[in-house]
Amino acid sequence: MLQFPDGSLTALHRALAHDRSPAEAAVLARRLGFESGAGFYEALRGGTDGRDVADESADDFWERLGDFFATTGWGELRFERVHPAVASLSSSSWAEAEPAADAQQPSCHFTTGMLADLLGRVAGADLAVLEVECRSRGDQQCRFLLGGTAALQRIHAALAEGTTFEAAIEDLG
């Protein structure tokens, strides 16, 4: 597992933002994360003696995932099922977040892409990830919603209209 010193993700965000709009930089960061998902998946599998992590019980898998990110320096990560179609991963110490950034939007874009690919590999299906809370914009934690594309697109659209993510999840039925 390759490790980067603290500040590397901040430097990555600065480099991607240079001469680009915030939206373009976000797309590139998510793409970099997504393209990195396979490596994170293989590193996570390395702790299973080659067994498929998808064969673990859900509780064991989420504990393994949390331990993996905590021990690799990304921060603690807690799993919660928030709706039959949506789950949540949250962290009050996520490495990609920049609490001093005063961001207007959630901005852990690399993580969003990486989790989409990594967890999609585990699930054996496409999986969407949407960050709805972020320490970079002053929230107490970073929170990533996980689910099918249709459900997360509905949540994203509701957020764009000013609905809270909690209400948007409730509206899923």
mmCIF file of all heavy atoms in Angstrom, residues 21-39:
data_model
loop_
_atom_site.group_PDB
_atom_site.id
_atom_site.type_symbol
_atom_site.label_atom_id
_atom_site.label_comp_id
_atom_site.label_asym_id
_atom_site.label_seq_id
_atom_site.Cartn_x
_atom_site.Cartn_y
_atom_site.Cartn_z
ATOM 1 N N SER A 21 -12.753 25.276 -13.586
ATOM 2 C CA SER A 21 -13.897 25.646 -12.759
ATOM 3 C C SER A 21 -13.993 24.649 -11.606
ATOM 4 O O SER A 21 -13.488 23.521 -11.709
ATOM 5 C CB SER A 21 -15.188 25.612 -13.580
ATOM 6 O OG SER A 21 -15.566 24.270 -13.846
ATOM 7 N N PRO A 22 -14.651 25.027 -10.521
ATOM 8 C CA PRO A 22 -14.844 24.073 -9.408
ATOM 9 C C PRO A 22 -15.553 22.799 -9.869
ATOM 10 O O PRO A 22 -15.205 21.705 -9.410
ATOM 11 C CB PRO A 22 -15.686 24.862 -8.403
ATOM 12 C CG PRO A 22 -15.343 26.285 -8.668
ATOM 13 C CD PRO A 22 -15.144 26.364 -10.166
ATOM 14 N N ALA A 23 -16.504 22.925 -10.774
ATOM 15 C CA ALA A 23 -17.219 21.743 -11.255
ATOM 16 C C ALA A 23 -16.286 20.806 -12.033
ATOM 17 O O ALA A 23 -16.333 19.587 -11.864
ATOM 18 C CB ALA A 23 -18.402 22.155 -12.124
ATOM 19 N N GLU A 24 -15.432 21.383 -12.891
ATOM 20 C CA GLU A 24 -14.475 20.558 -13.644
ATOM 21 C C GLU A 24 -13.499 19.866 -12.703
ATOM 22 O O GLU A 24 -13.192 18.679 -12.877
ATOM 23 C CB GLU A 24 -13.689 21.413 -14.636
ATOM 24 C CG GLU A 24 -14.498 21.921 -15.809
ATOM 25 C CD GLU A 24 -13.704 22.915 -16.642
ATOM 26 O OE1 GLU A 24 -13.025 23.799 -16.074
ATOM 27 O OE2 GLU A 24 -13.768 22.789 -17.875
ATOM 28 N N ALA A 25 -13.002 20.578 -11.699
ATOM 29 C CA ALA A 25 -12.064 19.997 -10.738
ATOM 30 C C ALA A 25 -12.728 18.867 -9.965
ATOM 31 O O ALA A 25 -12.105 17.823 -9.725
ATOM 32 C CB ALA A 25 -11.539 21.071 -9.789
ATOM 33 N N ALA A 26 -13.995 19.047 -9.594
ATOM 34 C CA ALA A 26 -14.721 18.009 -8.859
ATOM 35 C C ALA A 26 -14.881 16.746 -9.705
ATOM 36 O O ALA A 26 -14.670 15.632 -9.216
ATOM 37 C CB ALA A 26 -16.089 18.531 -8.416
ATOM 38 N N VAL A 27 -15.235 16.927 -10.967
ATOM 39 C CA VAL A 27 -15.387 15.777 -11.869
ATOM 40 C C VAL A 27 -14.063 15.023 -11.989
ATOM 41 O O VAL A 27 -14.023 13.790 -11.924
ATOM 42 C CB VAL A 27 -15.904 16.220 -13.251
ATOM 43 C CG1 VAL A 27 -15.763 15.113 -14.288
ATOM 44 C CG2 VAL A 27 -17.350 16.682 -13.148
ATOM 45 N N LEU A 28 -12.970 15.755 -12.150
ATOM 46 C CA LEU A 28 -11.658 15.101 -12.271
ATOM 47 C C LEU A 28 -11.267 14.376 -10.984
ATOM 48 O O LEU A 28 -10.743 13.256 -11.036
ATOM 49 C CB LEU A 28 -10.584 16.123 -12.637
ATOM 50 C CG LEU A 28 -10.614 16.614 -14.079
ATOM 51 C CD1 LEU A 28 -9.620 17.756 -14.272
ATOM 52 C CD2 LEU A 28 -10.303 15.468 -15.039
ATOM 53 N N ALA A 29 -11.527 14.983 -9.837
ATOM 54 C CA ALA A 29 -11.191 14.330 -8.562
ATOM 55 C C ALA A 29 -12.009 13.057 -8.379
ATOM 56 O O ALA A 29 -11.476 12.024 -7.950
ATOM 57 C CB ALA A 29 -11.413 15.289 -7.390
ATOM 58 N N ARG A 30 -13.300 13.111 -8.715
ATOM 59 C CA ARG A 30 -14.127 11.900 -8.620
ATOM 60 C C ARG A 30 -13.616 10.830 -9.570
ATOM 61 O O ARG A 30 -13.576 9.643 -9.228
ATOM 62 C CB ARG A 30 -15.596 12.217 -8.916
ATOM 63 C CG ARG A 30 -16.341 12.760 -7.725
ATOM 64 C CD ARG A 30 -17.846 12.805 -7.950
ATOM 65 N NE ARG A 30 -18.244 13.661 -9.040
ATOM 66 C CZ ARG A 30 -18.420 14.973 -8.934
ATOM 67 N NH1 ARG A 30 -18.239 15.581 -7.787
ATOM 68 N NH2 ARG A 30 -18.777 15.692 -9.988
ATOM 69 N N ARG A 31 -13.210 11.244 -10.775
ATOM 70 C CA ARG A 31 -12.695 10.277 -11.753
ATOM 71 C C ARG A 31 -11.399 9.637 -11.249
ATOM 72 O O ARG A 31 -11.208 8.427 -11.381
ATOM 73 C CB ARG A 31 -12.463 10.977 -13.103
ATOM 74 C CG ARG A 31 -12.054 10.047 -14.199
ATOM 75 C CD ARG A 31 -13.202 9.162 -14.557
ATOM 76 N NE ARG A 31 -12.740 8.062 -15.374
ATOM 77 C CZ ARG A 31 -13.519 7.093 -15.752
ATOM 78 N NH1 ARG A 31 -14.783 7.075 -15.414
ATOM 79 N NH2 ARG A 31 -13.044 6.119 -16.483
ATOM 80 N N LEU A 32 -10.511 10.447 -10.677
ATOM 81 C CA LEU A 32 -9.281 9.899 -10.096
ATOM 82 C C LEU A 32 -9.602 8.899 -8.986
ATOM 83 O O LEU A 32 -8.991 7.836 -8.889
ATOM 84 C CB LEU A 32 -8.398 11.013 -9.540
ATOM 85 C CG LEU A 32 -7.637 11.839 -10.559
ATOM 86 C CD1 LEU A 32 -7.051 13.088 -9.901
ATOM 87 C CD2 LEU A 32 -6.540 11.005 -11.196
ATOM 88 N N GLY A 33 -10.562 9.251 -8.143
ATOM 89 C CA GLY A 33 -10.979 8.337 -7.079
ATOM 90 C C GLY A 33 -11.542 7.049 -7.637
ATOM 91 O O GLY A 33 -11.187 5.950 -7.202
ATOM 92 N N PHE A 34 -12.416 7.176 -8.637
ATOM 93 C CA PHE A 34 -13.029 5.992 -9.239
ATOM 94 C C PHE A 34 -11.965 5.095 -9.850
ATOM 95 O O PHE A 34 -11.985 3.874 -9.674
ATOM 96 C CB PHE A 34 -14.057 6.410 -10.293
ATOM 97 C CG PHE A 34 -14.900 5.270 -10.786
ATOM 98 C CD1 PHE A 34 -16.018 4.870 -10.083
ATOM 99 C CD2 PHE A 34 -14.564 4.603 -11.951
ATOM 100 C CE1 PHE A 34 -16.800 3.811 -10.530
ATOM 101 C CE2 PHE A 34 -15.333 3.546 -12.413
ATOM 102 C CZ PHE A 34 -16.457 3.145 -11.699
ATOM 103 N N GLU A 35 -11.022 5.700 -10.567
ATOM 104 C CA GLU A 35 -9.943 4.923 -11.192
ATOM 105 C C GLU A 35 -9.035 4.278 -10.148
ATOM 106 O O GLU A 35 -8.355 3.291 -10.438
ATOM 107 C CB GLU A 35 -9.129 5.808 -12.138
ATOM 108 C CG GLU A 35 -9.896 6.296 -13.347
ATOM 109 C CD GLU A 35 -10.288 5.177 -14.306
ATOM 110 O OE1 GLU A 35 -9.572 4.159 -14.396
ATOM 111 O OE2 GLU A 35 -11.330 5.334 -14.972
ATOM 112 N N SER A 36 -9.015 4.806 -8.931
ATOM 113 C CA SER A 36 -8.204 4.250 -7.844
ATOM 114 C C SER A 36 -8.931 3.158 -7.071
ATOM 115 O O SER A 36 -8.325 2.456 -6.271
ATOM 116 C CB SER A 36 -7.819 5.361 -6.854
ATOM 117 O OG SER A 36 -7.080 6.364 -7.500
ATOM 118 N N GLY A 37 -10.224 3.026 -7.305
ATOM 119 C CA GLY A 37 -11.028 2.070 -6.548
ATOM 120 C C GLY A 37 -10.515 0.647 -6.610
ATOM 121 O O GLY A 37 -10.544 -0.076 -5.605
ATOM 122 N N ALA A 38 -10.031 0.213 -7.767
ATOM 123 C CA ALA A 38 -9.527 -1.162 -7.908
ATOM 124 C C ALA A 38 -8.345 -1.403 -6.974
ATOM 125 O O ALA A 38 -8.247 -2.465 -6.350
ATOM 126 C CB ALA A 38 -9.129 -1.433 -9.350
ATOM 127 N N GLY A 39 -7.457 -0.434 -6.866
ATOM 128 C CA GLY A 39 -6.317 -0.579 -5.963
ATOM 129 C C GLY A 39 -6.736 -0.654 -4.514
ATOM 130 O O GLY A 39 -6.192 -1.448 -3.732
#
